């Protein structure tokens, strides 16, 4: 489970992604966010919307003071397993790679799978299995012009899935993603209760990219969080601290 109401304990319900805040000026830096200002690195508690639950207020205050996000403990293992090939594909951006979903939770029971093209391929073969029992979820073949797909039938909520692809030329494998023959990328579909809780929290924080990113990261929705922090970075193109939050959720996620 990815409990949305997890506390701030290192050992229970949360994974601290330790990253030192790099200050652009002495003490703190101010980020613009839809007309609102966030002071990152200050000891003072930020001014937050009314009615936020205490656990969410604590998570936001922690992020503002230290530059650290809270990511569910359950996702830490997925990220660690995916880290090796994620690092490799980042270093070799032109290789065949899985773009999404990778090392993240997802909301949709019919997630969109995306991958990069391979010039030599005549078709792609995709395999999706349930991680815990190895039960096949989907096995599909696509023409070489296809680089994304969503299943017609819903996958199971509250289940972790593994997936991989082979780029084929006839019956020969010309590339694999991940590269190792037995390797998979992982993702997890939120339970209905988790999805409802996330929607409630997201509505409570309004249109703030900073707050939406924190809420998404707490839920394990790292790809959603990355989109929010990219938007925050566009509002603050010269702010190094704006990129710190993106780095934390993007390091093992989709590129």
């Amino acid at each position: 489970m990815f409990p949305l109401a997890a506390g701030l304990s290192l050992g229970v319900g949360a994974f601290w992604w330790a990253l030192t805040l790099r200050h652009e000026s002495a003490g703190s830096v101010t980020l613009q966010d839809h007309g609102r200002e966030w002071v990152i690195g200050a000891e003072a508690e930020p001014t937050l919307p009314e009615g936020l639950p205490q656990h969410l207020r604590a998570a936001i205050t922690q992020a503002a003071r230290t530059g650290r996000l809270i990511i569910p403990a359950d996702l830490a293992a997925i990220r660690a397993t995916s880290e090796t090939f994620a690092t490799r594909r980042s270093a070799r951006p032109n290789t065949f790679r899985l773009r999404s979903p990778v090392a993240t939770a997802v909301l949709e029971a019919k997630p969109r799978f995306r991958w990069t093209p391979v010039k030599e391929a005549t078709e792609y073969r995709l395999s999706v299995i349930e991680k815990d029992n190895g039960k096949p979820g989907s096995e599909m073949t696509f023409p070489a012009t296809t680089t994304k797909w969503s299943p017609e039938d819903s996958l199971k909520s509250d289940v972790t899935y593994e997936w991989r692809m082979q780029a084929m030329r006839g019956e020969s494998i010309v590339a694999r993603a991940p590269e190792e023959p037995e390797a998979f990328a992982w993702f997890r579909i939120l339970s209905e209760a988790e999805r409802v809780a996330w929607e409630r929290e997201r509505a409570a924080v309004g249109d703030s990219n900073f707050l939406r990113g924190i809420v998404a990261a707490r839920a394990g929705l790292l790809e959603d969080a990355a989109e929010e922090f990219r938007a925050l970075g566009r509002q603050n193109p010269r702010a190094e601290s704006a990129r710190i939050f993106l780095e934390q959720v993007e390091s093992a996620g989709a590129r």
Side-chain angles (χ1 to χ4, degrees):
M1 293 282 294
F2 288 172
L4 294 177
L8 302 183
S9 167
L10 280 172
V12 181
F15 169 65
W16 291 90
W17 188 269
L19 187 68
T20 302
L21 182 64
R22 297 188 291 266
H23 298 299
E24 295 147 338
S25 61
S28 62
V29 63
T30 299
L31 298 180
Q32 301 298 319
D33 185 10
H34 294 282
R36 181 181 298 167
E37 292 185 345
W38 300 106
V39 181
I40 309 300
E43 286 300 315
E45 185 170 344
T47 302
L48 300 176
E50 294 292 334
L52 291 182
Q54 184 56 40
H55 69 271
L56 189 53
R57 298 181 70 89
I60 295 167
T61 299
Q62 176 68 31
R65 287 178 176 174
T66 68
R68 297 189 190 121
L69 297 171
I70 297 174
I71 297 172
D74 309 68
L75 193 58
I78 296 178
R79 291 168 65 88
T81 301
S82 301
E83 184 69 28
T84 300
F85 83 83
T87 301
R88 184 183 300 119
R89 72 180 180 186
S90 179
R92 299 164 55 189
N94 295 324
T95 58
F96 184 37
R97 59 190 176 93
L98 309 179
R99 296 181 62 192
S100 178
V102 174
T104 186
V106 297
L107 287 167
E108 302 82 5
K110 299 179 181 181
R112 174 171 290 190
F113 295 84
R114 297 186 298 134
W115 57 92
T116 58
V118 176
K119 291 183 179 180
E120 298 83 1
T122 56
E123 66 178 26
Y124 303 106
R125 295 178 182 174
L126 178 148
S127 299
V128 182
I129 67 171
E130 295 181 25
K131 177 183 177 297
D132 290 341
N133 57 26
K135 182 180 179 180
S138 296
E139 294 185 359
M140 300 290 295
T141 300
F142 307 96
T145 54
T146 303
T147 56
K148 58 186 177 182
W149 170 76
S150 295
E152 294 183 3
D153 297 325
S154 297
L155 300 179
K156 298 176 183 178
S157 63
D158 199 17
V159 170
T160 298
Y161 287 91
E162 299 177 321
W163 71 293
R164 64 184 178 189
M165 297 201 69
Q166 295 175 335
M168 310 295 298
R169 187 171 185 84
E171 291 301 313
S172 299
I173 300 173
V174 296
R176 292 185 174 93
E179 292 180 355
E180 293 83 357
E182 302 303 320
F184 289 85
W186 296 11
F187 67 95
R188 180 179 177 277
I189 299 176
L190 291 188
S191 69
E192 179 64 17
E194 290 169 332
R195 185 185 64 79
V196 169
W198 171 83
E199 290 177 346
R200 185 186 306 116
E201 291 191 354
R202 188 174 186 271
V205 299
D207 63 357
S208 165
N209 295 126
F210 178 56
L211 298 187
R212 285 185 175 187
I214 292 171
V215 169
R218 280 176 41 61
L221 300 166
L222 301 190
E223 293 179 357
D224 297 78
E227 289 300 317
E228 299 294 346
F229 291 126
R230 289 189 193 104
L232 184 66
R234 288 193 291 270
Q235 295 180 74
N236 301 272
R238 297 183 179 180
E240 180 70 14
S241 56
R243 291 190 288 274
I244 287 176
F245 299 108
L246 178 60
E247 289 171 2
Q248 293 173 64
V249 296
E250 196 180 47
S251 59
R255 298 293 190 270

